[in-house]
Short mmCIF file of all heavy atoms in Angstrom, two decimals:
data_model
loop_
_atom_site.label_atom_id
_atom_site.label_comp_id
_atom_site.label_asym_id
_atom_site.label_seq_id
_atom_site.Cartn_x
_atom_site.Cartn_y
_atom_site.Cartn_z
N VAL G 297 106.67 113.08 41.44
CA VAL G 297 108.04 112.89 40.95
C VAL G 297 108.72 111.88 41.87
O VAL G 297 108.75 112.08 43.09
CB VAL G 297 108.83 114.22 40.94
CG1 VAL G 297 110.31 113.96 40.65
CG2 VAL G 297 108.25 115.19 39.93
N THR G 298 109.24 110.81 41.31
CA THR G 298 109.96 109.81 42.12
C THR G 298 111.44 109.79 41.75
O THR G 298 111.83 110.31 40.69
CB THR G 298 109.43 108.37 41.93
OG1 THR G 298 110.04 107.79 40.78
CG2 THR G 298 107.93 108.35 41.76
N ASP G 299 112.23 109.17 42.62
CA ASP G 299 113.67 109.07 42.35
C ASP G 299 114.09 107.67 41.90
O ASP G 299 115.29 107.38 41.88
CB ASP G 299 114.48 109.52 43.58
CG ASP G 299 114.29 108.58 44.75
OD1 ASP G 299 113.23 107.95 44.85
OD2 ASP G 299 115.22 108.48 45.59
N THR G 300 113.13 106.83 41.58
CA THR G 300 113.50 105.51 41.02
C THR G 300 112.44 105.04 40.02
O THR G 300 111.25 105.35 40.16
CB THR G 300 113.57 104.39 42.09
OG1 THR G 300 112.31 104.28 42.74
CG2 THR G 300 114.68 104.64 43.10
N CYS G 321 109.79 110.22 36.50
CA CYS G 321 111.09 109.87 37.08
C CYS G 321 112.15 110.28 36.08
O CYS G 321 112.15 109.80 34.94
CB CYS G 321 111.18 108.37 37.35
SG CYS G 321 112.82 107.89 37.94
N PHE G 322 113.01 111.19 36.48
CA PHE G 322 114.01 111.73 35.54
C PHE G 322 115.38 111.04 35.66
O PHE G 322 116.35 111.46 35.03
CB PHE G 322 114.19 113.23 35.78
CG PHE G 322 112.91 114.02 35.60
CD1 PHE G 322 112.44 114.85 36.62
CD2 PHE G 322 112.18 113.93 34.43
CE1 PHE G 322 111.27 115.58 36.47
CE2 PHE G 322 111.00 114.66 34.26
CZ PHE G 322 110.55 115.48 35.28
N MET G 323 115.45 110.00 36.49
CA MET G 323 116.76 109.43 36.84
C MET G 323 117.52 108.85 35.64
O MET G 323 118.75 108.84 35.64
CB MET G 323 116.58 108.33 37.90
CG MET G 323 116.15 108.86 39.25
SD MET G 323 117.43 109.87 40.03
CE MET G 323 118.64 108.63 40.44
N SER G 324 116.80 108.36 34.64
CA SER G 324 117.49 107.74 33.50
C SER G 324 117.65 108.71 32.33
O SER G 324 118.10 108.32 31.25
CB SER G 324 116.71 106.51 33.01
OG SER G 324 116.27 105.72 34.08
N ASP G 325 117.29 109.98 32.54
CA ASP G 325 117.36 110.94 31.43
C ASP G 325 118.82 111.31 31.13
O ASP G 325 119.61 111.53 32.04
CB ASP G 325 116.58 112.22 31.79
CG ASP G 325 115.08 111.97 31.90
OD1 ASP G 325 114.67 110.80 31.87
OD2 ASP G 325 114.33 112.96 32.03
N ASP G 327 120.06 114.08 29.95
CA ASP G 327 120.48 115.41 30.41
C ASP G 327 120.78 115.40 31.92
O ASP G 327 121.69 116.09 32.38
CB ASP G 327 119.45 116.50 30.05
CG ASP G 327 118.06 116.19 30.59
OD1 ASP G 327 117.79 115.02 30.93
OD2 ASP G 327 117.23 117.13 30.66
N VAL G 328 120.04 114.59 32.65
CA VAL G 328 120.28 114.48 34.09
C VAL G 328 121.64 113.84 34.36
O VAL G 328 122.43 114.32 35.19
CB VAL G 328 119.13 113.69 34.77
CG1 VAL G 328 119.52 113.22 36.16
CG2 VAL G 328 117.87 114.55 34.84
N ALA G 329 121.93 112.76 33.64
CA ALA G 329 123.23 112.09 33.79
C ALA G 329 124.37 113.06 33.47
O ALA G 329 125.38 113.13 34.18
CB ALA G 329 123.29 110.86 32.88
N GLN G 330 124.18 113.84 32.40
CA GLN G 330 125.20 114.78 31.94
C GLN G 330 125.47 115.87 32.99
O GLN G 330 126.61 116.14 33.35
CB GLN G 330 124.70 115.40 30.62
CG GLN G 330 125.69 116.34 29.95
CD GLN G 330 126.98 115.63 29.59
OE1 GLN G 330 126.97 114.45 29.23
NE2 GLN G 330 128.12 116.32 29.73
N ILE G 331 124.39 116.47 33.49
CA ILE G 331 124.52 117.55 34.47
C ILE G 331 125.12 117.03 35.77
O ILE G 331 125.96 117.69 36.40
CB ILE G 331 123.15 118.22 34.71
CG1 ILE G 331 122.75 119.00 33.45
CG2 ILE G 331 123.19 119.16 35.91
CD1 ILE G 331 121.31 119.48 33.45
N ALA G 332 124.71 115.83 36.19
CA ALA G 332 125.26 115.24 37.42
C ALA G 332 126.77 115.07 37.27
O ALA G 332 127.55 115.38 38.18
CB ALA G 332 124.59 113.90 37.71
N LYS G 333 127.19 114.60 36.10
CA LYS G 333 128.62 114.38 35.85
C LYS G 333 129.38 115.70 35.91
O LYS G 333 130.41 115.81 36.58
CB LYS G 333 128.78 113.72 34.47
CG LYS G 333 130.06 112.92 34.33
CD LYS G 333 130.12 112.21 33.00
CE LYS G 333 131.54 111.73 32.75
NZ LYS G 333 131.68 111.17 31.40
N GLU G 334 128.84 116.71 35.23
CA GLU G 334 129.48 118.03 35.20
C GLU G 334 129.61 118.63 36.59
O GLU G 334 130.61 119.23 36.93
CB GLU G 334 128.67 118.99 34.31
CG GLU G 334 128.90 118.79 32.82
CD GLU G 334 127.88 119.56 31.98
OE1 GLU G 334 127.28 120.53 32.50
OE2 GLU G 334 127.67 119.16 30.83
N ASN G 335 128.55 118.45 37.40
CA ASN G 335 128.53 119.10 38.72
C ASN G 335 129.11 118.23 39.83
O ASN G 335 129.21 118.68 40.98
CB ASN G 335 127.09 119.47 39.10
CG ASN G 335 126.51 120.53 38.18
OD1 ASN G 335 127.25 121.15 37.40
ND2 ASN G 335 125.21 120.72 38.23
N GLY G 336 129.44 116.97 39.50
CA GLY G 336 129.95 116.07 40.53
C GLY G 336 128.92 115.74 41.60
O GLY G 336 129.25 115.51 42.76
N THR G 337 127.65 115.73 41.20
CA THR G 337 126.57 115.38 42.13
C THR G 337 126.02 114.01 41.75
O THR G 337 126.45 113.40 40.79
CB THR G 337 125.41 116.39 42.07
OG1 THR G 337 124.77 116.28 40.79
CG2 THR G 337 125.90 117.80 42.27
N THR G 338 125.03 113.56 42.52
CA THR G 338 124.31 112.35 42.12
C THR G 338 123.29 112.72 41.05
O THR G 338 122.88 113.88 40.91
CB THR G 338 123.56 111.72 43.30
OG1 THR G 338 122.55 112.64 43.74
CG2 THR G 338 124.50 111.42 44.47
N ARG G 339 122.84 111.70 40.32
CA ARG G 339 121.76 111.92 39.36
C ARG G 339 120.47 112.31 40.09
O ARG G 339 119.65 113.06 39.57
CB ARG G 339 121.54 110.67 38.51
CG ARG G 339 122.58 110.54 37.40
CD ARG G 339 122.28 109.37 36.50
NE ARG G 339 122.35 108.11 37.24
CZ ARG G 339 121.65 107.02 36.95
NH1 ARG G 339 120.84 107.02 35.91
NH2 ARG G 339 121.77 105.93 37.68
N ALA G 340 120.33 111.81 41.32
CA ALA G 340 119.14 112.17 42.10
C ALA G 340 119.09 113.68 42.34
O ALA G 340 118.03 114.31 42.23
CB ALA G 340 119.13 111.41 43.42
N THR G 341 120.24 114.27 42.67
CA THR G 341 120.32 115.72 42.86
C THR G 341 119.91 116.43 41.58
O THR G 341 119.05 117.34 41.59
CB THR G 341 121.75 116.13 43.25
OG1 THR G 341 122.10 115.48 44.48
CG2 THR G 341 121.89 117.63 43.43
N ALA G 342 120.52 116.03 40.48
CA ALA G 342 120.23 116.68 39.19
C ALA G 342 118.76 116.50 38.80
O ALA G 342 118.16 117.40 38.20
CB ALA G 342 121.16 116.11 38.11
N SER G 343 118.19 115.36 39.15
CA SER G 343 116.80 115.13 38.74
C SER G 343 115.83 115.99 39.57
O SER G 343 114.74 116.32 39.10
CB SER G 343 116.44 113.65 38.81
OG SER G 343 116.20 113.22 40.13
N MET G 344 116.23 116.37 40.78
CA MET G 344 115.39 117.30 41.55
C MET G 344 115.42 118.69 40.92
O MET G 344 114.41 119.39 40.89
CB MET G 344 115.85 117.37 43.01
CG MET G 344 115.63 116.08 43.80
SD MET G 344 113.90 115.50 43.86
CE MET G 344 113.96 114.05 42.80
N ASP G 345 116.59 119.09 40.41
CA ASP G 345 116.68 120.38 39.72
C ASP G 345 115.78 120.39 38.49
O ASP G 345 115.12 121.39 38.20
CB ASP G 345 118.13 120.67 39.33
CG ASP G 345 118.98 121.05 40.53
OD1 ASP G 345 118.46 121.78 41.40
OD2 ASP G 345 120.14 120.62 40.61
N LYS G 346 115.77 119.27 37.78
CA LYS G 346 114.90 119.18 36.60
C LYS G 346 113.42 119.25 37.04
O LYS G 346 112.61 119.94 36.40
CB LYS G 346 115.16 117.87 35.86
CG LYS G 346 114.36 117.73 34.57
CD LYS G 346 114.96 116.69 33.63
CE LYS G 346 114.12 116.55 32.36
NZ LYS G 346 114.73 115.66 31.36
N ALA G 347 113.09 118.57 38.14
CA ALA G 347 111.70 118.58 38.62
C ALA G 347 111.27 119.98 39.05
O ALA G 347 110.09 120.34 38.93
CB ALA G 347 111.54 117.60 39.79
N ALA G 348 112.23 120.77 39.54
CA ALA G 348 111.91 122.11 40.02
C ALA G 348 111.38 123.01 38.91
O ALA G 348 110.75 124.04 39.17
CB ALA G 348 113.14 122.74 40.68
N LEU G 349 111.63 122.61 37.66
CA LEU G 349 111.18 123.42 36.52
C LEU G 349 109.73 123.12 36.11
O LEU G 349 109.15 123.84 35.31
CB LEU G 349 112.11 123.19 35.32
CG LEU G 349 113.60 123.46 35.59
CD1 LEU G 349 114.44 123.10 34.38
CD2 LEU G 349 113.83 124.93 35.98
N PHE G 356 106.68 114.93 45.85
CA PHE G 356 107.95 114.23 45.68
C PHE G 356 107.90 112.93 46.48
O PHE G 356 107.67 112.96 47.69
CB PHE G 356 109.11 115.11 46.15
CG PHE G 356 109.37 116.27 45.25
CD1 PHE G 356 108.76 117.50 45.47
CD2 PHE G 356 110.22 116.14 44.15
CE1 PHE G 356 108.99 118.58 44.62
CE2 PHE G 356 110.46 117.21 43.31
CZ PHE G 356 109.83 118.44 43.54
N ILE G 358 110.28 110.16 47.45
CA ILE G 358 111.72 109.83 47.45
C ILE G 358 111.94 108.58 48.27
O ILE G 358 111.87 108.61 49.50
CB ILE G 358 112.54 111.02 48.02
CG1 ILE G 358 112.18 112.33 47.29
CG2 ILE G 358 114.03 110.71 47.94
CD1 ILE G 358 112.41 112.33 45.81
N ASN G 360 114.68 106.37 47.63
CA ASN G 360 116.03 105.81 47.48
C ASN G 360 117.15 106.76 47.89
O ASN G 360 118.00 106.39 48.68
CB ASN G 360 116.23 105.38 46.02
CG ASN G 360 117.56 104.70 45.81
OD1 ASN G 360 117.85 103.70 46.46
ND2 ASN G 360 118.38 105.24 44.93
N ALA G 361 117.13 107.98 47.35
CA ALA G 361 118.33 108.82 47.42
C ALA G 361 118.22 109.94 48.45
O ALA G 361 117.46 110.89 48.25
CB ALA G 361 118.61 109.42 46.05
N PRO G 362 118.98 109.85 49.53
CA PRO G 362 119.01 110.96 50.49
C PRO G 362 119.49 112.25 49.83
O PRO G 362 119.06 113.34 50.22
CB PRO G 362 119.99 110.49 51.57
CG PRO G 362 120.66 109.28 51.04
CD PRO G 362 119.79 108.70 49.99
N THR G 363 120.33 112.13 48.79
CA THR G 363 120.81 113.34 48.11
C THR G 363 119.64 114.09 47.45
O THR G 363 119.70 115.32 47.31
CB THR G 363 121.87 113.01 47.06
OG1 THR G 363 121.37 112.00 46.18
CG2 THR G 363 123.16 112.52 47.71
N ALA G 364 118.60 113.36 47.08
CA ALA G 364 117.40 114.03 46.52
C ALA G 364 116.74 114.88 47.61
O ALA G 364 116.36 116.03 47.36
CB ALA G 364 116.41 113.01 45.97
N LEU G 365 116.63 114.32 48.81
CA LEU G 365 116.01 115.09 49.91
C LEU G 365 116.86 116.31 50.27
O LEU G 365 116.32 117.39 50.54
CB LEU G 365 115.84 114.21 51.16
CG LEU G 365 114.75 113.14 51.13
CD1 LEU G 365 114.59 112.54 52.53
CD2 LEU G 365 113.41 113.69 50.64
N VAL G 366 118.18 116.13 50.29
CA VAL G 366 119.06 117.26 50.63
C VAL G 366 118.88 118.38 49.59
O VAL G 366 118.78 119.56 49.94
CB VAL G 366 120.54 116.80 50.70
CG1 VAL G 366 121.47 118.00 50.86
CG2 VAL G 366 120.74 115.81 51.85
N ARG G 367 118.79 117.99 48.31
CA ARG G 367 118.62 119.00 47.26
C ARG G 367 117.25 119.67 47.37
O ARG G 367 117.14 120.89 47.20
CB ARG G 367 118.79 118.36 45.88
CG ARG G 367 118.79 119.36 44.72
CD ARG G 367 119.93 120.35 44.83
NE ARG G 367 119.86 121.41 43.85
CZ ARG G 367 120.19 122.68 44.08
NH1 ARG G 367 120.63 123.06 45.28
NH2 ARG G 367 120.09 123.58 43.12
N LEU G 368 116.22 118.91 47.71
CA LEU G 368 114.89 119.51 47.89
C LEU G 368 114.93 120.51 49.04
O LEU G 368 114.35 121.60 48.95
CB LEU G 368 113.84 118.42 48.17
CG LEU G 368 113.45 117.54 46.98
CD1 LEU G 368 112.45 116.48 47.41
CD2 LEU G 368 112.87 118.38 45.83
N TYR G 369 115.62 120.15 50.10
CA TYR G 369 115.78 121.07 51.25
C TYR G 369 116.39 122.39 50.78
O TYR G 369 115.89 123.48 51.10
CB TYR G 369 116.64 120.40 52.31
CG TYR G 369 116.99 121.26 53.49
CD1 TYR G 369 116.10 121.41 54.56
CD2 TYR G 369 118.21 121.93 53.55
CE1 TYR G 369 116.42 122.20 55.65
CE2 TYR G 369 118.54 122.72 54.65
CZ TYR G 369 117.64 122.85 55.69
OH TYR G 369 117.97 123.63 56.78
N GLU G 370 117.46 122.29 49.99
CA GLU G 370 118.13 123.50 49.49
C GLU G 370 117.21 124.31 48.58
O GLU G 370 117.12 125.54 48.70
CB GLU G 370 119.40 123.12 48.72
CG GLU G 370 120.49 122.53 49.60
CD GLU G 370 121.62 121.87 48.80
OE1 GLU G 370 121.47 121.70 47.57
OE2 GLU G 370 122.64 121.52 49.42
N LEU G 371 116.52 123.62 47.68
CA LEU G 371 115.64 124.32 46.73
C LEU G 371 114.50 125.04 47.46
O LEU G 371 114.08 126.13 47.05
CB LEU G 371 115.07 123.34 45.71
CG LEU G 371 116.06 122.81 44.66
CD1 LEU G 371 115.49 121.60 43.91
CD2 LEU G 371 116.43 123.92 43.65
N GLU G 374 115.94 128.08 49.15
CA GLU G 374 116.22 129.13 48.16
C GLU G 374 114.94 129.69 47.54
O GLU G 374 114.99 130.55 46.65
CB GLU G 374 117.11 128.55 47.03
CG GLU G 374 118.53 128.19 47.48
CD GLU G 374 119.25 127.25 46.48
OE1 GLU G 374 118.76 127.11 45.34
OE2 GLU G 374 120.28 126.67 46.87
N LYS G 376 112.91 128.17 45.55
CA LYS G 376 112.75 127.75 44.15
C LYS G 376 111.65 126.72 43.95
O LYS G 376 111.21 126.50 42.82
CB LYS G 376 114.08 127.19 43.62
CG LYS G 376 115.10 128.31 43.43
CD LYS G 376 116.36 127.80 42.79
CE LYS G 376 117.38 128.94 42.65
NZ LYS G 376 118.75 128.44 42.63
N ILE G 377 111.26 126.02 45.01
CA ILE G 377 110.11 125.12 44.90
C ILE G 377 109.25 125.22 46.15
O ILE G 377 109.71 125.64 47.22
CB ILE G 377 110.49 123.63 44.70
CG1 ILE G 377 111.43 123.16 45.82
CG2 ILE G 377 111.06 123.37 43.34
CD1 ILE G 377 111.57 121.65 45.86
N ASN G 391 123.84 109.25 55.19
CA ASN G 391 123.05 110.49 55.20
C ASN G 391 121.54 110.29 55.07
O ASN G 391 120.81 111.26 54.83
CB ASN G 391 123.54 111.45 54.09
CG ASN G 391 124.92 112.00 54.40
OD1 ASN G 391 125.29 112.13 55.58
ND2 ASN G 391 125.68 112.32 53.38
N SER G 395 119.08 113.32 56.19
CA SER G 395 118.29 113.97 55.14
C SER G 395 116.81 114.03 55.53
O SER G 395 116.11 114.99 55.21
CB SER G 395 118.47 113.24 53.81
OG SER G 395 117.87 111.95 53.87
N LEU W 232 125.94 116.36 57.64
CA LEU W 232 125.92 115.35 56.59
C LEU W 232 127.32 114.75 56.47
O LEU W 232 128.32 115.46 56.54
CB LEU W 232 125.50 115.98 55.26
CG LEU W 232 124.05 116.46 55.21
CD1 LEU W 232 123.81 117.29 53.95
CD2 LEU W 232 123.08 115.29 55.25
N VAL W 235 130.51 112.19 51.49
CA VAL W 235 130.88 111.01 50.69
C VAL W 235 130.61 111.33 49.23
O VAL W 235 129.53 111.82 48.88
CB VAL W 235 130.05 109.77 51.12
CG1 VAL W 235 130.42 108.56 50.29
CG2 VAL W 235 130.25 109.48 52.60
N LEU W 236 131.59 111.09 48.36
CA LEU W 236 131.41 111.35 46.94
C LEU W 236 130.31 110.43 46.37
O LEU W 236 130.19 109.29 46.80
CB LEU W 236 132.71 111.09 46.18
CG LEU W 236 133.81 112.13 46.37
CD1 LEU W 236 135.11 111.65 45.70
CD2 LEU W 236 133.39 113.47 45.78
N PRO W 237 129.55 110.94 45.40
CA PRO W 237 128.47 110.14 44.82
C PRO W 237 128.91 108.72 44.48
O PRO W 237 128.24 107.75 44.83
CB PRO W 237 128.08 110.92 43.57
CG PRO W 237 128.36 112.34 43.92
CD PRO W 237 129.57 112.31 44.82
N ARG W 238 130.05 108.58 43.83
CA ARG W 238 130.46 107.23 43.37
C ARG W 238 130.87 106.33 44.53
O ARG W 238 130.99 105.12 44.37
CB ARG W 238 131.61 107.35 42.35
CG ARG W 238 132.90 107.91 42.93
CD ARG W 238 134.07 107.72 41.96
NE ARG W 238 135.28 108.27 42.52
CZ ARG W 238 135.63 109.54 42.42
NH1 ARG W 238 134.87 110.40 41.77
NH2 ARG W 238 136.76 109.98 42.98
N ILE W 240 129.17 106.24 47.56
CA ILE W 240 128.08 106.04 48.53
C ILE W 240 127.79 104.54 48.72
O ILE W 240 127.66 104.07 49.85
CB ILE W 240 126.80 106.78 48.09
CG1 ILE W 240 127.03 108.30 48.14
CG2 ILE W 240 125.61 106.41 48.99
CD1 ILE W 240 125.88 109.14 47.59
#
Side-chain angles (χ1 to χ4, degrees):
Chain G
V297 171
T298 84
D299 66 332
T300 59
C321 175
F322 301 125
M323 291 294 289
S324 317
D325 293 8
D327 56 342
V328 164
Q330 184 61 35
I331 290 169
K333 205 176 165 187
E334 281 169 21
N335 295 348
T337 67
T338 64
R339 282 185 297 151
T341 299
S343 78
M344 292 302 109
D345 286 321
K346 184 161 179 174
L349 304 175
F356 289 91
I358 308 300
N360 184 57
T363 53
L365 287 189
V366 172
R367 187 61 187 142
L368 287 178
Y369 175 83
E370 292 167 350
L371 288 166
E374 293 163 14
K376 289 185 182 154
I377 55 167
N391 290 331
S395 68
Chain W
L232 292 170
V235 179
L236 287 173
R238 66 168 179 274
I240 293 174

